Amino acid sequence: MTRSEMSDLNNRLMSDELNRYDYLCLVFMTIVLNYFWFQNAKLSIIDSSTLVTYINYHQQLSRYQGSLVVAGFDNYLTYYFVIAEYLSRYLSINGVVLVLSLIPGLVMVPAVFGTGYAVFRNKYVGYLAVMMLLTHWQLVAALGGSEAYGDNLAHVSFATPFLIASIGLFFKGYYKTAYLLAGLMINIHAPLALSALFVLFVCSMRSSDLSFGRIVLLGVMSAVVGTPVLAWYVSSLGAGTAHSTNDNGMWLTLTRLRSYHSMPSNWEIGKYIRFFAFAGNLFL
């Protein structure tokens, strides 16, 4: 290779425009992430055990009659498990786990890279974001004190890459697609999707390309595509379970114990500091 050819190659590599080497790197990083993902998406972990129990419950209802383990499944407000149960009619349990692991695994690296690239208009920020993702259990912690991206098999991990992608699409100017994607994810993990929609709303208010009326229309569109789980939520209000009052009281106690990370009344002072630091940076 001549000096001029080396110089041309170097200029292409250092350019902010994507080239075939970038796409090869992204493919490699996606393979690495999926390797890590499949090492952790085992049937023995808690969330996939819940998934397996949910599938078995709907396939063998008589087996779980009177069981507190499945008492709340009918009011579990996400279509993630409904989709998993539907897939189980055609696939083995291992096949369901493979599909539900592979989909977010294939989306995550392009979503993280694309968002970093779109926000900062620099592909090396995208690479840095992906490297932080790939080493998250050693180096990267969310402001709430847990991993930035869980490697367990759960609806929150399924929704996360699509919501990150929605933010990246917004910064690329695909406003309708961004809000539509975030709205669809309401049906998978409503609290996380609503958090992403809040980010999109704040960014929209700061954008000179969007009028207030258009922002309202985009929000309505998101609510419409999220209607299935929102309607499910409304219909489940006050439904309770078929078990005794004492059993329901036990579930309320367990819920309070397990929801410490999402209930501000249970937060320690450090979490308030991290939350307001995050909120302040978001509005800035």
Side-chain angles (χ1 to χ4, degrees):
M1 182 178 290
T2 65
R3 181 175 296 180
S4 61
E5 289 173 333
M6 287 288 292
S7 177
D8 180 61
L9 176 60
N10 182 66
N11 290 334
R12 281 185 289 162
L13 289 175
M14 295 305 294
S15 169
D16 281 338
E17 296 297 324
L18 297 184
N19 53 59
R20 66 175 181 270
Y21 301 104
D22 294 310
Y23 292 113
L24 287 173
C25 286
L26 291 175
V27 169
F28 174 75
M29 288 177 167
T30 299
I31 293 172
V32 171
L33 176 67
N34 279 277
Y35 171 78
F36 290 149
W37 178 264
F38 285 120
Q39 290 298 310
N40 289 282
K42 307 296 185 181
L43 297 181
S44 58
I45 64 176
I46 293 174
D47 286 296
S48 58
S49 296
T50 303
L51 179 69
V52 172
T53 303
Y54 184 94
I55 292 173
N56 288 334
Y57 165 61
H58 283 276
Q59 290 180 343
Q60 307 173 46
L61 293 176
S62 60
R63 181 177 177 181
Y64 293 91
Q65 288 299 320
S67 172
L68 281 175
V69 173
V70 300
F73 276 174
D74 288 338
N75 292 322
Y76 208 55
L77 304 180
T78 171
Y79 279 91
Y80 176 80
F81 291 100
V82 175
I83 294 170
E85 190 275 325
Y86 178 80
L87 290 174
S88 71
R89 302 175 190 179
Y90 306 97
L91 301 172
S92 65
I93 295 294
N94 288 336
V96 174
V97 170
L98 176 65
V99 170
L100 295 181
S101 300
L102 189 61
I103 292 174
L106 291 176
V107 174
M108 193 60 174
V109 166
V112 170
F113 177 87
T115 299
Y117 185 30
V119 172
F120 294 95
R121 294 174 175 81
N122 187 317
K123 67 182 180 182
Y124 296 104
V125 175
Y127 280 124
L128 176 62
V130 173
M131 292 307 298
M132 292 172 70
L133 168 72
L134 294 178
T135 57
H136 72 280
W137 49 85
Q138 289 96 359
L139 301 177
V140 182
L143 290 171
S146 58
E147 292 88 355
Y149 179 54
D151 49 17
N152 52 347
L153 190 66
H155 49 321
V156 63
S157 298
F158 188 92
T160 296
F162 294 99
L163 294 172
I164 293 175
S166 72
I167 296 172
L169 288 167
F170 178 90
F171 279 95
K172 290 293 288 184
Y174 299 102
Y175 304 121
K176 290 181 180 179
T177 306
Y179 273 87
L180 179 64
L181 187 57
L184 285 172
M185 288 301 106
I186 293 175
N187 298 298
I188 301 299
H189 196 286
L192 192 64
L194 292 173
S195 298
L197 283 167
F198 176 72
V199 173
L200 293 179
F201 171 75
V202 171
C203 294
S204 298
M205 294 296 291
R206 303 276 298 186
S207 173
S208 58
D209 295 335
L210 296 172
S211 65
F212 183 75
R214 190 178 178 190
I215 294 171
V216 171
L217 289 175
L218 290 171
V220 170
M221 181 186 68
S222 297
V224 169
V225 296
T227 294
V229 85
L230 295 176
W232 187 1
Y233 173 78
V234 172
S235 67
S236 69
L237 292 175
T241 68
H243 297 276
S244 69
T245 303
N246 289 334
D247 290 340
N248 288 333
M250 182 189 301
W251 273 114
L252 286 173
T253 301
L254 290 172
T255 300
R256 291 190 181 101
L257 289 173
R258 292 290 296 157
S259 62
Y260 62 90
H261 61 289
S262 58
M263 301 297 291
S265 60
N266 294 325
W267 287 359
E268 298 175 352
I269 186 64
K271 288 194 175 183
Y272 279 106
I273 294 173
R274 287 191 291 267
F275 172 77
F276 284 112
F278 170 75
N281 279 289
L282 180 63
F283 278 102
L284 288 175

